[in-house]
Amino acid sequence: MLNILWGAMLLIGIVYGAVTGNMNQVTDAALSSAKEAVSLCISMAGIVAMWVGIMEIAKASGLVDRLTKAMDPLLHFLFPEIPAGHRAMEFISANMIANFLGLGWAATPFGLKAMEKLAELEEERRRGKAPGPVRKAGCASNEMCTFLILNISSLQLIPVNIIAYRSQYGSPDPTAIVGPAIAATAVSTAVAVVFCKLMEQRKRTKRVLNRSQPG
């Protein structure tokens, strides 16, 4: 869908430039934008590489494991149906830590692995090897939906990517976004948690009602 939207916007711009006789400006804008994109990618690559490296050091040193254990009460509250010690918890916590530090790019691999482990957990439930409600094949589990919503809302302490963008484009105070970012993401995360819990309770109530109905 995004490819269609971007393609349509580019096509509309080119057609409009041709109709209004501004093709020179369109060409100049395309060339300057390409140059700016390369420059931005180089700047972002250095910043992301540094923070991803820090995450890898933290993981290798056992810091991520200790943080995961410290986050156990929160993770159990958010994902009560995931068995204790399941590998999905490790990747979920690593994803949440990376997002907390504003490292969306570094969080993506952990998020993909978390989804993979949650899919394996769902398959174990279908085989009767793990506790929890069994859903139809191809349907996302409660844990998958909750994790996706939390990953999107993601409370951020240090919005590294936005700070890098602001620095690249000449902001006199790139870190001024920190306070508003914490406030905005705290609200979005709180709303996400409340929504997930309400939907979880609704599904639990529905399951109880279905089991209590005769026949």
Side-chain angles (χ1 to χ4, degrees), residues 8 20 33 82 106 110 116 140 151 155 157 162 165 176 191 201:
T20 58
S33 297
I82 297 181
F110 296 121
E116 181 181 317
N151 184 61
L155 174 64
L157 178 64
I162 302 302
Y165 287 135
V191 172
Q201 182 61 39

Side-chain angles (χ1 to χ4, degrees), residues 84-97:
H86 196 277
R87 286 294 305 280
M89 286 295 199
E90 175 186 343
F91 294 110
I92 289 173
S93 63
N95 175 271
M96 291 177 68
I97 292 169

Side-chain angles (χ1 to χ4, degrees), residues 10 13-18 20 22-32:
L10 288 172
I14 293 171
V15 171
Y16 181 81
T20 58
N22 294 315
M23 281 303 295
N24 288 336
Q25 288 85 338
V26 172
T27 303
D28 291 342
L31 294 175
S32 63

Side-chain angles (χ1 to χ4, degrees), residues 172-187:
D173 188 7
T175 59
I177 194 67
V178 172
I182 292 175
T185 55
V187 171

Side-chain angles (χ1 to χ4, degrees), residues 165-207:
Y165 287 135
R166 287 169 59 84
S167 177
Q168 173 67 20
Y169 288 110
S171 171
D173 188 7
T175 59
I177 194 67
V178 172
I182 292 175
T185 55
V187 171
S188 66
T189 301
V191 172
V193 171
V194 171
F195 174 79
C196 290
K197 286 301 171 183
L198 288 175
M199 294 304 295
E200 182 181 312
Q201 182 61 39
R202 179 182 177 185
K203 289 182 179 180
R204 187 180 294 113
T205 302
K206 186 176 180 180
R207 288 198 300 268

